[in-house]
Amino acid sequence: MQQFKTILTQLTEAINYLLYFALMAGFTVLFAAVYATLDSRIYEGALMRTLGANRSLLRKTHIIEFSALGLISGLLAVVISEAIIYALYTQVMNMEYRPACICGLLYLLRGLYVLVLLDAGCKTCA
């Protein structure tokens, strides 16, 4: 029994390291995607300022854009993770599935928070 616990602990640590690696790769892709569109956002901001928009309007549009992007990515993450958990519970472990609604809400808010922080860190956008 002790050997089983040791193997299970090592397996859990390995899965956690893979999770951290995947999260870091995801953040790297997210930063690259945000900064890849930086030039077009600067151009759009300059065009909108030429047409009479003020700095606060530009900031609000960026916050709305990144908030929507964060909510959509969070919602997609929740749906995919719940589908995987459902399949694991019902097909692999033959257990009853109970959705974790509060965790889903936290994932949505986390996605929103990260992308709004990315926009707030981008001082040249507005």
Side-chain angles (χ1 to χ4, degrees):
M1 191 59 144
Q2 182 63 27
Q3 185 179 9
F4 178 72
K5 286 182 182 179
T6 304
I7 291 172
L8 191 60
T9 303
Q10 291 174 348
L11 183 63
T12 303
E13 288 178 8
I15 290 172
N16 281 337
Y17 287 129
L18 287 174
L19 170 71
Y20 296 142
F21 178 72
L23 281 173
M24 293 308 293
F27 280 127
T28 304
V29 169
L30 178 67
F31 286 125
V34 168
Y35 286 110
T37 62
L38 182 64
D39 290 336
S40 66
R41 283 188 281 127
I42 291 172
Y43 175 76
E44 289 171 2
L47 184 62
M48 289 175 70
R49 294 214 44 193
T50 302
L51 296 174
N54 57 10
R55 185 178 286 272
S56 67
L57 177 69
L58 294 176
R59 176 57 81 196
K60 287 177 189 175
T61 57
H62 286 289
I63 288 174
I64 290 170
E65 175 187 357
F66 280 96
S67 297
L69 194 62
L71 284 174
I72 290 169
S73 64
L75 182 65
L76 186 62
V78 168
V79 169
I80 290 173
S81 66
E82 287 296 321
I84 291 171
I85 291 172
Y86 174 77
L88 285 174
Y89 272 38
T90 58
Q91 303 300 319
V92 177
M93 294 186 280
N94 296 324
M95 295 174 61
E96 181 183 342
Y97 170 73
R98 291 179 307 231
C101 296
I102 197 75
C103 288
L105 179 64
L106 290 175
Y107 288 139
L108 285 173
L109 293 176
R110 188 180 305 152
L112 173 71
Y113 181 71
V114 166
L115 285 174
V116 169
L117 280 180
L118 275 176
D119 182 49
C122 180
K123 299 293 183 196
T124 60
C125 296

